[in-house]
């Protein structure tokens, strides 16, 4: 009985090692998060929204923008992304998977509904309060301005 127990413990330790080896390896895949493009938010009833509009992910994770309602897309804000990061833009009505390999704060919007406030934020890896404060200085039009001020507050709350 004692030997059997020891063997089980050893096997358990070995599988733990295997797991952590693959878990930290360069080819390991990150998590996938979903952001829906909606005509109307189910909770607030707000029109033309990304749900959730503010998301915190790890470097290597993927955000899948899903075209639940027609007529929307996801496009990165050229003036709100880290240096060296790749921009993205999906065709209207199409889903897009974006994998984030550069840490930092990303803003994005729906091309036809930007001024209607259809915007969002993705915080990748470690984002500082200063980076969020800097993003507040980026000029926004129409409803995007109101929505972003709300979303920056949500992003700041996520850092705590
Ligand atoms: Cu839209």
């Amino acid at each position: 009985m004692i030997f059997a127990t020891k063997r089980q413990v050893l096997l358990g330790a070995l599988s733990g090692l295997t797991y952590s080896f693959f878990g930290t390896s360069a080819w390991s895949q990150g998590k996938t998060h979903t952001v829906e493009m909606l005509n109307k938010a189910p909770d607030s009833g707000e029109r033309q929204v990304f749900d959730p509009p503010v998301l915190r992910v790890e470097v290597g994770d993927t955000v899948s923008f899903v075209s639940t309602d027609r007529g929307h897309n996801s496009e990165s804000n050229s003036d709100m992304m880290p240096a060296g990061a790749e921009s993205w833009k999906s065709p209207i009505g199409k889903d897009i998977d974006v994998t984030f390999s550069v840490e930092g704060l990303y803003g994005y919007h729906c091309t036809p509904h930007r001024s209607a406030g259809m915007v969002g934020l993705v915080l990748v890896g470690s984002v500082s309060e200063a980076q969020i404060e800097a993003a507040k200085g980026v000029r926004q039009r129409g409803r995007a301005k109101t929505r972003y001020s709300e979303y920056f507050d949500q992003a700041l709350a996520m850092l705590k």
Side-chain angles (χ1 to χ4, degrees):
M1 277 308 281
I2 290 162
F3 291 119
T5 307
K6 274 188 179 169
R7 176 171 288 187
Q8 280 167 359
V9 168
L10 180 63
L11 284 172
L14 280 174
S15 66
L17 279 175
T18 312
Y19 177 77
S20 58
F21 175 73
F22 285 104
T24 56
S25 62
W27 65 85
S28 74
Q29 299 213 325
K31 282 188 195 166
T32 298
H33 311 259
T34 299
V35 172
E36 288 189 278
M37 308 186 230
L38 301 174
N39 291 340
K40 193 177 176 184
D43 47 353
S44 63
E46 289 276 319
R47 303 265 170 189
Q48 327 284 27
V49 288
F50 288 102
D51 184 36
V54 186
L55 195 59
R56 192 171 189 192
V57 308
E58 295 304 322
V59 173
D61 282 1
T62 297
V63 176
S64 183
F65 293 95
V66 180
S67 191
T68 306
D69 290 328
R70 281 181 292 177
H72 306 290
N73 76 335
S74 173
E75 179 181 2
S76 52
N77 295 359
S78 56
D79 50 8
M80 208 191 289
M81 60 198 306
E86 269 186 65
S87 61
W88 73 86
K89 184 179 181 178
S90 66
I92 304 288
K94 300 283 180 196
D95 297 354
I96 188 172
D97 286 348
V98 180
T99 300
F100 293 90
S101 53
V102 179
E103 194 162 67
L105 179 67
Y106 294 73
Y108 63 89
H109 61 277
C110 166
T111 314
H113 303 122
R114 189 176 196 168
S115 59
M118 192 162 172
V119 296
L121 292 173
V122 181
L123 287 75
V124 179
S126 118
V127 172
S128 70
E129 204 173 313
Q131 283 172 290
I132 295 172
E133 291 301 330
K136 284 183 180 178
V138 176
R139 197 188 156 163
Q140 303 295 339
R141 291 164 202 273
R143 288 275 298 142
K145 198 172 180 175
T146 335
R147 290 247 176 101
Y148 265 132
S149 72
E150 203 181 296
Y151 297 164
F152 287 134
D153 286 346
Q154 288 183 34
L156 284 166
M158 283 178 180
L159 304 184
K160 286 167 185 142

